[in-house]
Amino acid sequence: MSVLSLIEVSEGKIKKASYEAAYYASKVAESLGTDAVAVVLGTSSSDELSNLGNYGIKKVLHANDARFDTFDSRAHTKAIADAANASGAAVVVLSFGPNGKLLGPRLSVRLKAGYVPGANELPAFTGNDLHVTRNVFSGKAKASYLTSTEKKIIAVSPNSLSPVKVAGTATVEAFASSVTDADFTTVTKSVDKVVGQVPLTEADIVVSAGRGLKGPENWGMIEELARDLGAATACSRPVSDVDWRPHHEHVGQTGITIKPNLYIAIGISGAIQHLAGVNQSKVIVVINTDPEAPFFKAADYGIVGDAFQVVPALIAEVKKFKSAVH
Amino acid sequence: MKILVPISKVPDTTSKIAFTDNNTKFSTDNVQFIMNPTDEWYALTRALELKEKIGGEVVAINVGLAENEQIIRKALAIGADSAVRVDLDPTDAYQVAVEIAEHAKSGGYDIIITGKETIDYNSYEVGGMIAEALGWNAVALVSKLEVEGTKALATRDIEGGTETLEVHLPVVICATKDLAAARIPNMKGIMSARTKPLAVVAPSGAAKLTSIASYTLPEKEKQVKMISPDNVGELVRLLHEEAKVI
Ligand SMILES: Cc1cc2nc3c(=O)[nH]c(=O)nc-3n(C[C@H](O)[C@H](O)[C@H](O)COP(=O)(O)OP(=O)(O)OC[C@H]3O[C@@H](n4cnc5c(N)ncnc54)[C@H](O)[C@@H]3O)c2cc1C
């Protein structure tokens, strides 16, 4: 028996969210009294992968095969299922990211395994039953999932737990799956990454602004605050609808869902459709002129004040803080 | 080009979330149900746009009881040519996916377009499961989709950006925002929806893989700590010392 975690690599490097999946798998293995194993598909080095030992992984199955560098959900699923069978995995753990959102469901069907998407906590076991909690209704409630299938799959929601490093190196073994050339039918045509900025979905801190800012010319201070905090920028829907800000910054029910450690909302009223995309943030700060703005009900810290005064003052304080700690 | 669009029924976002039966069931009291927004605005609409461009047929499918026919008729009013309802009250995403895959197996479809997630369970499950059950390729979080002959070009979200993948048909596409411009049904659509074919089929009866043992609501509303606008330094101190997020 083992607990298998899927570790994703990009340009040879382990993705940040995959370290969390590794740590989660090692904790699950601990509670089952077994070892955590990782499977890695695509080009990487043993040097890079042996680091997984610091996250509790004992053994890495590495398919060092460039064909996996293009994401083909069908081929990847087949190879991961092979690794799950080869390692006798009772539980497969992956990250609830862009790839995991297809791989988890596909593996569920392939392995006839109960699947929990976006778990927020470590699971509990009673006999063959696995219980694990996840957020539902856009974070307005939690549901305790139960599955009793022989194999189980958990996709961990990013930023759910903070990995604690341990001493150790993982042994890296070559892994040959049953995939053949015919399984690879996807071709990457182009990749378009946001450069020079923190990507919104991966940011620990997000500075977001809404219609309260009056016009696109006032976003200089938002960008400056974000730069000083090492944060990404986001906006409410009406702001991207009128093109004050690019569409990829739009968060909410119809935009993207984020859950940073810190979300700073400036001049945003806090409509329920906006909250749906951000209310799983760990800490929320709201700056708004209107003390009755609904956003204050979802906030941890609030300032009733004019953004045009509060934000410049905040920038000055953050600069002071940063120069004091560095 | 034959396109299948699975649609699901979800509580409107503004619904009050409450549970009954000792917190094991979602309470439908006073809840208004709608078609899942990403299914309607992006998946269905892109399917219609592709049909208008290259010809073909769009079929909507729902796994649910007769009460769901209201949202199925809406899909027909927006422009789907016909619809199928699999007569089953499903208890997990796997059951939904298996039923849709069963229908798709003999349907001669080229593309299945789903929404990215439902706004109730937010679980991103059904699209990937259908693809695996059919042995098809799939691309998720798709914000652009073009079809050329037997190939599709799909632009999907990745960490920190997007990438465009070329895949062969048949394929499952899970839509995200910007895939299409939402449409509102017009009078003609609403009238014709009444007479468009809606087939009711019996379920194949796959067993579920997961269940929800119980629900919990957040214990209490958050207690907000207010800070004076003249003392912004205090906010920085609290974020560092108390919240430990900077
Ligand atoms: C089906 C549906 C889906 C939707 N999806 C989304 C979504 O995904 N994301 C989203 O964001 N919205 C969404 N909306 C829109 C949503 O309902 C709100 O209309 C929107 O979030 C409001 O944006 P806002 O807070 O920027 O603007 P407003 O509601 O106009 O709020 C502006 C706020 O700024 C404050 N303000 C004004 N001047 C200042 C100042 N000088 N300093 C500080 N504060 C100031 C005001 O007090 C006010 O609270 C959706 C709506 C519907 C119907």
Side-chain angles (χ1 to χ4, degrees):
Chain A
M1 187 170 81
S2 74
V3 174
L4 181 74
S5 64
L6 170 69
I7 300 302
E8 298 177 35
V9 288
S10 170
E11 284 152 19
K13 292 265 175 279
I14 297 169
K15 291 184 188 174
K16 180 185 155 206
S18 283
Y19 281 116
E20 210 177 325
Y23 178 72
Y24 190 100
S26 75
K27 287 285 156 194
V28 175
E30 221 172 273
S31 65
L32 291 175
T34 182
D35 280 348
V37 177
V39 58
V40 179
L41 306 174
T43 320
S44 186
S45 67
S46 295
D47 263 4
E48 172 75 7
L49 302 181
S50 58
N51 282 327
L52 290 165
N54 293 130
Y55 296 83
I57 299 292
K58 296 283 186 293
K59 187 167 83 177
V60 180
L61 304 174
H62 184 200
N64 200 356
D65 178 341
R67 292 176 303 181
F68 286 114
D69 294 345
T70 292
F71 181 65
D72 182 304
S73 67
R74 184 168 45 181
H76 282 238
T77 298
K78 196 170 172 187
I80 300 161
D82 287 345
N85 290 326
S87 60
V91 182
V92 179
V93 176
L94 37 82
S95 172
F96 197 49
N99 294 356
K101 284 172 181 173
L102 267 184
L103 297 174
R106 293 199 80 126
L107 284 166
S108 169
V109 170
R110 195 171 185 93
L111 299 171
K112 286 273 178 303
Y115 167 57
V116 183
N120 299 103
E121 291 165 12
L122 287 166
F125 295 89
T126 42
N128 195 41
D129 293 350
L130 174 148
H131 291 266
V132 66
T133 303
R134 60 179 296 260
N135 289 339
V136 290
F137 299 102
S138 306
K140 281 182 268 180
K142 285 180 191 292
S144 169
Y145 273 56
L146 164 66
T147 180
S148 315
T149 49
E150 192 190 327
K151 283 186 164 47
K152 295 149 178 111
I153 302 164
I154 303 175
V156 191
S157 197
N159 286 336
S160 292
L161 65 174
S162 322
V164 181
K165 283 199 188 185
V166 295
T169 51
T171 55
V172 181
E173 284 177 15
F175 172 67
S177 71
S178 67
V179 291
T180 61
D181 270 338
D183 289 311
F184 294 93
T185 57
T186 303
V187 181
T188 308
K189 287 294 185 182
S190 60
V191 178
D192 188 7
K193 288 218 179 189
V194 182
V195 284
Q197 276 175 40
V198 187
L200 187 49
T201 47
E202 276 169 66
D204 290 328
I205 303 179
V206 173
V207 177
S208 186
R211 212 145 54 172
L213 255 75
K214 316 273 190 282
E217 66 282 4
N218 297 325
W219 249 265
M221 61 180 186
I222 301 300
E223 286 173 350
E224 185 176 355
L225 179 60
R227 233 180 356 257
D228 290 344
L229 287 167
T233 49
C235 68
S236 66
R237 173 167 153 182
V239 162
S240 68
D241 278 353
V242 295
D243 289 328
W244 289 0
R245 297 298 293 174
H247 280 259
H248 63 76
E249 283 197 1
H250 155 203
V251 292
Q253 183 198 312
T254 46
I256 61 170
T257 305
I258 55 171
K259 37 166 87 178
N261 285 330
L262 174 60
Y263 183 74
I264 305 180
I266 302 163
I268 303 176
S269 55
I272 189 135
Q273 297 90 356
H274 183 86
L275 293 180
V278 303
N279 64 2
Q280 297 182 61
S281 308
K282 261 190 198 131
V283 174
I284 295 178
V285 172
V286 170
I287 299 169
N288 198 304
T289 40
D290 176 8
E292 301 299 321
F295 220 145
F296 284 116
K297 288 208 175 68
D300 298 277
Y301 300 102
I303 295 181
V304 176
D306 184 344
F308 296 98
Q309 278 144 30
V310 176
V311 176
L314 185 55
I315 291 170
E317 290 294 339
V318 167
K319 285 195 188 344
K320 214 160 52 178
F321 166 73
K322 290 278 173 185
S323 61
V325 292
H326 291 300
Chain B
M1 181 75 31
K2 197 169 173 192
I3 306 175
L4 181 66
V5 181
I7 55 173
S8 74
K9 188 185 79 171
V10 295
D12 183 26
T13 334
T14 51
S15 305
K16 184 166 166 44
I17 304 300
F19 303 100
T20 59
D21 291 15
N22 211 6
N23 284 327
T24 57
K25 277 205 181 73
F26 175 65
S27 163
T28 54
D29 286 357
N30 302 317
V31 168
Q32 198 190 342
F33 286 96
I34 56 169
M35 195 188 319
N36 185 48
T38 54
D39 301 350
E40 176 183 334
W41 300 342
Y42 309 126
L44 177 59
T45 324
R46 188 60 195 154
L48 296 171
E49 289 172 356
L50 287 172
K51 172 193 149 175
E52 283 155 16
K53 217 164 119 183
I54 48 189
E57 185 186 344
V58 174
V59 180
I61 185 167
N62 172 263
V63 180
L65 302 181
E67 65 207 25
N68 289 10
E69 291 195 0
Q70 179 201 347
I71 63 143
I72 301 173
R73 290 284 172 205
K74 185 171 183 196
L76 294 170
I78 293 171
D81 298 293
S82 64
V84 176
R85 179 172 68 79
V86 182
D87 195 25
L88 168 78
D89 190 11
T91 54
D92 76 349
Y94 178 74
Q95 286 186 322
V96 175
V98 168
E99 297 303 338
I100 294 170
E102 277 304 313
H103 167 78
K105 261 177 203 162
S106 53
Y109 293 99
D110 301 289
I111 312 180
I112 298 176
I113 312 182
T114 73
K116 72 164 177 178
E117 59 170 342
T118 57
I119 59 170
D120 47 2
Y121 292 96
N122 317 106
S123 62
Y124 297 83
E125 284 176 279
V126 170
M129 286 181 174
I130 295 171
E132 190 65 24
L134 293 169
W136 293 9
N137 206 346
V139 188
L141 297 170
V142 173
S143 55
K144 249 191 227 147
L145 174 68
E146 292 300 338
V147 176
E148 282 156 28
T150 59
K151 285 179 180 165
L153 275 181
T155 302
R156 70 167 189 135
D157 289 350
I158 53 173
E159 290 91 349
T162 59
E163 71 176 8
T164 301
L165 301 177
E166 182 188 87
V167 291
H168 296 268
L169 305 183
V171 70
V172 174
I173 298 291
C174 312
T176 187
K177 79 184 196 83
D178 298 337
L179 183 63
R183 293 181 184 184
I184 297 165
N186 57 25
M187 213 47 209
K188 186 165 154 267
I190 295 166
M191 297 304 286
S192 69
R194 291 188 195 154
T195 53
K196 282 180 178 171
L198 195 173
V200 179
V201 300
S204 71
K208 64 179 178 182
L209 297 178
T210 56
S211 51
I212 293 178
S214 64
Y215 295 92
T216 43
L217 286 167
E219 294 199 335
K220 56 170 170 37
E221 298 232 326
K222 274 188 175 178
Q223 216 39 55
V224 55
K225 202 172 255 187
M226 298 306 292
I227 295 147
S228 155
D230 304 319
N231 191 10
V232 176
E234 177 66 1
L235 175 64
V236 175
R237 187 189 71 77
L238 288 167
L239 290 177
H240 179 59
E241 291 176 11
E242 185 178 81
K244 299 190 168 57
V245 287
I246 62 170

